[in-house]
Amino acid sequence: MVDSISSSSNSMRVGGLASGIDTDSLVEQLMNAEKQKLYKMQQEQTKLTWQQDSYREVNTSLKSFDDMLTNMKLSTTYNQKTTTSSSSAVTATADSSASNGSYSIEVTQVATATINVSTERVGGESFNPDEPLGEQFTVSFTTYDQNGKEIAYNKTFNATDSLNTILKDITNSNAGVRASYDTQTGKVVMEKKYTGDLNKENPEMDFGANNAFFTDFLKMGTETGGQNAKIKYNGVLDVETSKNSYTLGGVTFNFVEETSGPVRISVDNDVDAAYNKIKEFVDKYNEIIEDVNGRLDEKVYRDYPPLTDDQKKEMSEDEIKLWEEKAKSGMLKGDSVLQNSLFSMRNAWYSNVATGGEYTQLAQIGITTSNDYLENGKLVIDETQLKNALRENPDGVYKLFSNSAEGESQGILQRLEKTIDSTMDNIYKKAGKSTYTNDQFTIGKRLDDVQKRIDDFQDYLTQTEDRYWRQFSAMEQAISQMNQQSAYLTSSFGG
C-alpha cells in the first residue's frame, strides 16, 4: 500500500486519500496567493498596451492634420476664382492667376468633328455585323491628330472577322476615330473623336482612291463637319481654335453654341470656397486641441486596475465596460511630449509672421483665441472679417499662412508642420507604429521585458505547484504508513 501511494505520487496527483484533506482546494488557494504577482505583471502589460494605443490614436489625428497642411500650403487654396456668365452659350472657369473683372466673348462658329456616313445600307437587308465577313480585308486610311499630324491606320483582317470586330479595332486604335454600325439604318458611321479642321482643304479621314473596303463595301460618302470655332474676344481679338474652348489670362472659355452677340463673363474671388477650406483646417486643429488636452487632464483611477480573466468571469458585460472605462482613464495624463507639442502649436499660431505685407498675425484676418479658458486655446473665426480679407487681399492671407521663407518670415503652416512632425517622431519613439517591431520603440521594449518576466514567473508557478503536490503527497504517504501501522497494532492486540 505504501509503495502504491509513493508510485502514484510521481505519476499523478491524488490528494486526501489518507488524510481526508481537500488537497486540490488547498493547493489552488496556495497558488492563487502565488499568482498575485503574475496578475500584477499582466496588468502592467495591459496598461502598457492601452498607453501604446492612446499614443497611436493621437498620432493618427496628427497625421490627418499634417495631410491637410499640404493643401493648405497651396496658393490656390486662398485665391480660388468663381465665374458667372450672362448666357449658357458660353461658360468659363478660372485659375488663381486670372484677374478679376469682366470679359466679352462672341461665338460666330462652334467647332465640330468630322463625320462620314455610308450612303446606303451595308451588305443588304439580312446583313449581320457580328457574323464573319467571309473574305479577307485590308483596312487602311489616314487621319490627323489635334496638332494636324498625320496618323496612318493599316491592318489586315481575316475572313473569320466580323464588321463589328473591324469597327471596334478602329475605335480602339490611335487613329482618333469612332466607328460604329447603326442597326436601324444599316449604315456605318465614322467620326473624329475631337473637333476642328485639322487638315485644311483635304479630307480629315482619307480613305484613298481605290479602297474597296470603304468605297465598295461600306459605301462611305462625303465627310461633313470638321470646322474650327471662331470667336471675338473683348470685341477686338479674333480667335480661331480647333476646340470649343480657349484659355487666355488664366480664364478658360467654353463654347456651347453660337451667340447672337457678345456674352459677358465675370471673374471674381471665390471667397466662400477659400473660407470653407480655412474653417475646415481650424476646426480640425480645435479637435486635436480638445482631444489632447482631454487626455492630458484625464483622471487616473488607481483603484481600478485592469481586470484579470478570472475577474471578468464574475462580472457582467456592462460592469466590465464601466470598470475598463475608469481603468483606461489617464493613460497619457501629464505627458511631456504632448504638453510640449501643444505649447509649440499655440506659439506657431500666435507668433507674428514678418510677411512684409498687410497681414502679420491671425487677429488681423479674424482668427483669435477663444476667451473661454476652459477651451484651452481653441481658435475662433470671425467669418465676416476673414471673408473680407480673402476678398481684398488673398495673397496677403496666403503669405501669413504659408510664407516659404525662414525665421520670423516663416508662415504659420510651416511652423505647425515642424511641430507636428517632431511630435509624431517622438511618439513613434515611445509607442511605435504598426510596421515597427517591439525592439524599435520604448513601450515595445517594456512589453517584451514584461512578457519575459511573465514567462519566467509562469515557469516558477509550475515548479511551485509541483513542489506543493510533492509535499502533500509525502504527507499523504506518511499518514498512510501510520494508518497501516496503527491497523496492524490494533489487529495484533485484538487478536
Side-chain angles (χ1 to χ4, degrees):
M1 181 70 176
V2 174
D3 292 339
S4 174
I5 293 176
S6 175
S7 175
S8 66
S9 67
N10 293 326
S11 60
M12 57 185 294
R13 296 172 176 177
V14 180
L17 293 178
S19 65
I21 297 173
D22 186 354
T23 309
D24 283 315
S25 177
L26 191 57
V27 171
E28 183 179 355
Q29 292 177 37
L30 289 169
M31 290 307 300
N32 282 338
E34 294 283 356
K35 286 178 180 179
Q36 296 308 307
K37 293 180 181 178
L38 175 64
Y39 294 151
K40 289 186 180 299
M41 285 186 281
Q42 289 174 334
Q43 287 168 338
E44 180 185 359
Q45 186 181 50
T46 300
K47 289 183 73 172
L48 283 171
T49 302
W50 286 347
Q51 189 178 50
Q52 172 186 281
D53 292 342
S54 293
Y55 273 123
R56 291 185 180 183
E57 287 168 4
V58 172
N59 250 9
T60 298
S61 295
L62 291 176
K63 179 64 171 62
S64 176
F65 187 61
D66 196 39
D67 290 341
M68 292 179 72
L69 277 168
T70 302
N71 288 329
M72 292 301 296
K73 288 192 290 185
L74 301 175
S75 62
T76 52
T77 299
Y78 309 88
N79 196 16
Q80 298 186 59
K81 300 293 182 178
T82 182
T83 61
T84 56
S85 174
S86 63
S87 171
S88 59
V90 181
T91 62
T93 57
D95 61 31
S96 59
S97 66
S99 299
N100 293 350
S102 183
Y103 302 81
S104 170
I105 297 292
E106 183 175 2
V107 182
T108 57
Q109 180 174 289
V110 293
T112 59
T114 299
I115 186 169
N116 197 328
V117 181
S118 300
T119 56
E120 57 184 271
R121 181 178 286 274
V122 175
E125 292 291 337
S126 61
F127 178 74
N128 186 339
D130 290 315
E131 291 183 353
L133 293 176
E135 61 178 298
Q136 188 181 76
F137 279 106
T138 297
V139 180
S140 63
F141 64 95
T142 302
T143 186
Y144 300 85
D145 66 14
Q146 288 176 296
N147 298 315
K149 182 181 178 181
E150 183 178 295
I151 302 172
Y153 178 92
N154 186 62
K155 187 170 183 178
T156 299
F157 292 90
N158 298 321
T160 55
D161 290 320
S162 68
L163 175 59
N164 275 342
T165 299
I166 297 173
L167 299 180
K168 182 178 180 180
D169 190 84
I170 292 173
T171 300
N172 292 336
S173 73
N174 68 341
V177 174
R178 284 189 295 268
S180 60
Y181 176 84
D182 178 41
T183 56
Q184 184 172 350
T185 62
K187 296 179 180 181
V188 168
V189 178
M190 295 184 66
E191 56 185 327
K192 295 296 292 291
K193 293 181 180 179
Y194 27 77
T195 59
D197 184 2
L198 306 175
N199 186 31
K200 293 183 180 297
E201 300 179 359
N202 290 293
E204 290 279 333
M205 295 178 286
D206 190 354
F207 304 129
N210 299 304
N211 193 325
F213 178 75
F214 288 106
T215 58
D216 298 341
F217 181 58
L218 298 187
K219 300 178 176 62
M220 301 306 294
T222 303
E223 67 180 32
T224 58
Q227 67 181 24
N228 291 334
K230 294 180 180 180
I231 67 167
K232 187 178 287 291
Y233 173 81
N234 279 349
V236 177
L237 179 63
D238 289 314
V239 176
E240 183 173 340
T241 171
S242 64
K243 303 176 184 178
N244 280 315
S245 64
Y246 191 73
T247 300
L248 189 64
V251 183
T252 299
F253 303 97
N254 304 293
F255 323 127
V256 179
E257 58 188 6
E258 295 176 6
T259 64
S260 57
V263 173
R264 188 65 58 183
I265 302 291
S266 296
V267 177
D268 201 356
N269 292 331
D270 191 347
V271 172
D272 287 339
Y275 170 82
N276 289 336
K277 286 287 187 181
I278 295 174
K279 185 178 185 303
E280 181 184 3
F281 184 70
V282 170
D283 287 346
K284 182 63 178 178
Y285 170 77
N286 286 340
E287 286 178 15
I288 291 174
I289 290 296
E290 182 177 6
D291 177 56
V292 173
N293 273 309
R295 293 174 189 269
L296 289 172
D297 297 336
E298 209 169 36
K299 184 176 179 180
V300 177
Y301 295 92
R302 302 191 185 282
D303 294 334
Y304 287 82
L307 295 168
T308 65
D309 291 338
D310 290 338
Q311 288 172 327
K312 288 180 179 179
K313 291 177 183 177
E314 299 175 0
M315 300 169 68
S316 67
E317 289 186 8
D318 288 341
E319 288 173 332
I320 294 172
K321 182 180 177 181
L322 291 172
W323 182 284
E324 290 196 339
E325 282 179 0
K326 291 188 174 181
K328 290 181 178 181
S329 179
M331 288 295 105
L332 302 182
K333 183 177 178 62
D335 182 80
S336 60
V337 170
L338 298 183
Q339 285 179 330
N340 291 336
S341 176
L342 287 181
F343 175 80
S344 296
M345 282 196 288
R346 287 171 185 151
N347 192 52
W349 281 107
Y350 307 147
S351 297
N352 283 6
V353 180
T355 62
E358 179 182 359
Y359 304 130
T360 59
Q361 55 181 272
L362 281 176
Q364 293 173 314
I365 63 171
I367 302 178
T368 56
T369 307
S370 171
N371 292 325
D372 186 350
Y373 76 94
L374 294 176
E375 293 196 319
N376 294 303
K378 284 186 178 181
L379 297 177
V380 178
I381 297 177
D382 183 320
E383 182 176 347
T384 300
Q385 191 174 352
L386 178 54
K387 284 186 174 180
N388 285 338
L390 289 168
R391 184 178 297 106
E392 296 167 5
N393 189 1
D395 288 336
V397 178
Y398 164 65
K399 283 187 177 181
L400 177 62
F401 273 97
S402 191
N403 205 23
S404 58
E406 293 296 327
E408 293 183 356
S409 298
Q410 189 176 59
I412 292 170
L413 299 178
Q414 280 76 4
R415 297 173 183 178
L416 282 172
E417 188 172 45
K418 285 185 178 180
T419 296
I420 291 169
D421 290 346
S422 175
T423 303
M424 291 177 66
D425 286 341
N426 287 331
I427 290 177
Y428 287 145
K429 290 175 184 177
K430 272 195 170 185
K433 53 184 174 181
S434 60
T435 56
Y436 280 22
T437 55
N438 278 1
D439 60 353
Q440 292 179 281
F441 58 99
T442 303
I443 291 179
K445 292 175 182 177
R446 291 178 63 187
L447 283 169
D448 283 346
D449 176 67
V450 174
Q451 185 61 54
K452 184 179 184 307
R453 286 190 281 125
I454 288 174
D455 293 340
D456 291 344
F457 196 76
Q458 285 177 327
D459 290 341
Y460 162 78
L461 289 176
T462 299
Q463 295 169 5
T464 300
E465 187 174 8
D466 288 342
R467 176 168 56 82
Y468 282 143
W469 276 104
R470 286 196 304 272
Q471 291 172 340
F472 278 111
S473 295
M475 182 189 71
E476 291 292 331
Q477 187 177 18
I479 292 174
S480 177
Q481 289 175 341
M482 290 175 61
N483 288 341
Q484 289 182 27
Q485 292 173 354
S486 176
Y488 175 75
L489 289 172
T490 300
S491 174
S492 296
F493 286 117

